[in-house]
Amino acid sequence: AQKITQTQPGMFVQEKEAVTLDCTYDTSDQSYGLFWYKQPSSGEMIFLIYQGSYDEQNATEGRYSLNFQKARKSANLVISASQLGDSAMYFCAMRDINYGQNFVFGPGTRLSVLP
Amino acid sequence: DVKVTQSSRYLVKRTGEKVFLECVQDMDHENMFWYRQDPGLGLRLIYFSYDVKMKEKGDIPEGYSVSREKKERFSLILESASTNQTSMYLCASRQLAGTYNEQFFGPGTRLTVL
């Protein structure tokens, strides 16, 4: 069975500071992919960053980076230099090649950026 | 610009009504998905389809059915809406191959069943 855990229901961060959103996953498979999505109050899901289980380097996309610790089964999202527009729900998701085409999503973390 | 569209942003229906939620993607993706999103539960998969006329149950298919007559269109059907189906419904599509391919989401439909 797969499971994604996001232990922080809500987080606050001061504008321009960095913030880490936690994600741990549970899978017995060796080949899988990890994804982070952002959902602003408008509702659309925006893809942020991807990490493959065989990738040796942590993924980065602009201000987003992924702190991937395979042995600990964690894939934390780091947002540097937070902006007010970063206030949103953030979801961690996993897909593994043996689970077909489906993604499993975590419960999400609501990030609020304070001015 | 890739796009997944959903027929309604907001929908209000009465208990017992038959409800159709439509989703269209213009990316020629093989896979399409329907999720419902509830606070504290994240996204839960209702049904998915990996080809025209093909469908598979997700984690919570009870009370729902789907239809995929054309590659670009995936419909979610609530045969007899109930109040516990009040939720946000998200449609997504994805290219078939590659672990790294993300899902593209529509804007969501917020359904209220009275």
Side-chain angles (χ1 to χ4, degrees):
Chain A
Q2 296 183 337
K3 187 176 179 181
I4 300 285
T5 302
Q6 295 180 254
T7 58
Q8 308 149 314
M11 289 276 289
F12 290 91
V13 65
Q14 208 68 37
E15 194 178 8
K16 300 181 185 178
E17 292 186 351
V19 63
T20 298
L21 307 184
D22 294 342
C23 172
T24 58
Y25 56 92
D26 182 21
T27 181
S28 57
D29 299 302
Q30 297 300 310
S31 178
Y32 51 88
L34 296 156
F35 301 78
W36 277 91
Y37 283 85
K38 171 185 178 182
Q39 187 182 42
S41 57
S42 54
E44 77 272 26
M45 296 280 282
I46 302 166
F47 166 70
L48 295 178
I49 194 167
Y50 165 82
Q51 179 83 45
S53 59
Y54 293 118
D55 293 342
E56 294 185 351
Q57 292 192 334
N58 287 340
T60 61
E61 288 287 346
R63 295 187 297 112
Y64 304 108
S65 61
L66 213 151
N67 183 0
F68 181 48
Q69 299 186 44
K70 191 171 182 177
R72 298 180 60 183
K73 294 185 178 179
S74 74
N76 298 338
L77 177 71
V78 181
I79 305 174
S80 62
S82 297
Q83 302 172 356
L84 295 178
D86 294 334
S87 294
M89 283 289 289
Y90 289 81
F91 292 95
C92 179
M94 178 173 67
R95 175 190 179 268
D96 76 72
I97 199 166
N98 296 312
Y99 195 56
Q101 304 296 324
N102 300 335
F103 284 31
V104 177
F105 285 82
T109 295
R110 182 171 296 281
L111 177 67
S112 298
V113 180
L114 305 174
Chain B
D1 191 20
V2 297
K3 189 174 286 186
V4 180
T5 57
Q6 294 182 229
S7 49
S8 305
R9 291 300 303 271
Y10 300 94
L11 208 54
V12 179
K13 295 292 182 180
R14 297 210 173 270
T15 302
E17 281 192 78
K18 190 169 186 176
V19 181
F20 292 87
L21 302 182
E22 304 284 341
C23 175
V24 178
Q25 52 97 2
D26 65 0
M27 296 165 281
D28 200 36
H29 285 168
E30 292 84 359
N31 297 337
M32 296 188 75
F33 307 83
W34 274 106
Y35 295 91
R36 65 175 283 174
Q37 181 183 3
D38 300 289
L41 297 177
L43 277 69
R44 294 179 292 168
L45 183 65
I46 304 172
Y47 267 96
F48 68 100
S49 168
Y50 50 88
D51 203 349
V52 175
K53 297 191 184 295
M54 306 299 286
K55 60 185 180 183
E56 293 285 343
K57 293 180 180 179
D59 299 319
I60 51 166
E62 295 78 18
Y64 304 94
S65 62
V66 290
S67 172
R68 193 164 180 203
E69 296 296 319
K70 294 184 178 181
K71 189 175 185 179
E72 67 271 18
R73 188 180 298 270
F74 192 36
S75 303
L76 180 70
I77 304 155
L78 288 65
E79 294 289 342
S80 178
S82 62
T83 55
N84 62 12
Q85 292 178 310
T86 292
S87 187
M88 169 73 104
Y89 290 87
L90 291 164
C91 174
S93 72
R94 182 176 185 271
Q95 200 171 344
L96 179 61
T99 307
Y100 49 85
N101 290 333
E102 73 267 31
Q103 291 190 357
F104 292 87
F105 283 85
T109 295
R110 191 168 294 280
L111 173 67
T112 301
V113 183
L114 302 176

